[in-house]
Structure formats: C-alpha cells, structure tokens
Amino acid sequence: MTVAVLLADDQPWLRLGFRAVLDAQPDLEVVGEAGDGDEAAALVRELAPDVVLMDVRMPVLDGIEATRRIVASGSPSRVLVLTTFDLDEYVFAALRAGASGFLLKDAEPADLIAGIRAVAAGNAVVAPSVTKRLIETFTRQVPRPPADGRFGELTAREREVVVEVAGGRSNKEIADRLFVSETTIKVHVGRVLAKLGLRDRAQVIVFAYENGVVTPGTADA
C-alpha cells in the first residue's frame, strides 16, 4: 500500500526537499502541500492523507491548533510534527493535541522515511531518550488535571504496560521485561488504547505523566 503524505510547512524550499525525498520511495506519495495550518486542516478534509508532516510554527494557524482541529474532526489522518528543537514546549502541546510523534527538521532522510511509515502503521515516533527529556521538562510546568478514572478500569497487566509505554519502550522491549510474547503486548496496547479512548502510544505517554501514573524519572527503571 502507498502511504499518502501531506506536507505542511511555510517554507517552500523545505517542502520541495521533503517531496524529493518522499516521492523517491515506492511506498510513499506526497498528495498535497500547505503553507499554513488553516490550509493544512482544509487539505486533510479534502485529500484524507494517511500522514500529515506538520511544522509547528506557521502563519495564520500554527501546527498545534491545526493538529487539534484535525484530531477533533475525527479524521484518521495521523500527524507527525516537525520542529527545530527537541525540547520545544510546542512539541509537548502538539502531543497533547493528538500528534502521533515528532521529528527534528534536520533528521536524516532515512529517519524521516521510517518515521512516516511508523506513524502510518499506528505507532508513535518519539525516541525514548527524547521522550524522557521532553516529558520530564514540561510536565513540571503544566498543571495536572484531576486523576482520570479510566485508568482504574485497566487490568493490572494493562497498567504495567502503560508504565512501560511511558518509558518509551517498544513492544519487543516490553515483552522482554514482562516475560510474555510481543503479540501479547500488542493485544494489551490495543486494549489500553480502546479503554482510555486514545489514538496511539504518544497519547498514552502524555496520559501517564499528566495523570500521575508515572512521574519524571520513575519510568526509567
């Protein structure tokens, strides 16, 4: 299957570069380009891309609000945020808005391609080391809402999986730590997403920290 990608960036030369890299892949196709967040949200409605490569800072409507609108619309399109800095408060806001992950703008082409494929497959693209720095930095600055009662509906094993996902670990790493098969972990993650009403692993990470399921530093053990 070909993954349809929408590019949203206010710099034409960057879009040109991304298009050249992505269109060279047999399974990726750039189906549209947007120069601001408002245009990006409109093109998502029109083109229904699988993945939106979304810049954070854009005129008219920024990438965060555009992401929020896309997710709130119920669109199946996944948003992969691009940023200049890996510790950018806007990135955390984008994850909270429903983005499936983020990459640095200067990421290697291979990482960009792999990230788009991963997001299209329903996975989060947030490197474990960056996840820890990002979340630990900004959860200290963001007031936590009241504890979410949905967490209490999870089984003991599902709660363990949430903690492991919050540590930025892959299904294989979680399976090894919990001494079960990778397939079993995939099933647990799917159930966690369904019970918590979340789109993907990136939102599980944010949910875990915002609701005190884990606190900065505790997901490393």
Side-chain angles (χ1 to χ4, degrees), residues 64-136:
I64 297 170
E65 184 56 33
T67 297
R68 186 175 293 110
R69 291 187 185 183
I70 291 169
V71 173
S73 73
S75 169
S77 299
R78 307 249 174 199
V79 178
L80 180 56
V81 171
L82 292 174
T83 182
T84 306
F85 304 102
D86 62 355
L87 280 182
D88 185 331
E89 62 182 291
Y90 296 108
V91 175
F92 181 69
L95 291 175
R96 296 182 73 204
S100 294
F102 74 94
L103 289 173
L104 298 182
K105 280 192 174 182
D106 60 358
E108 294 293 329
D111 292 332
L112 176 65
I113 293 166
I116 291 173
R117 288 171 177 159
V119 167
N123 297 314
V125 179
V126 190
S129 60
V130 176
T131 298
K132 293 169 187 175
R133 296 203 311 275
L134 182 85
I135 300 294
E136 290 181 13

Side-chain angles (χ1 to χ4, degrees), residues 3 27 31 100 185 198:
V3 176
D27 61 332
V31 295
S100 294
I185 295 301
L198 304 176

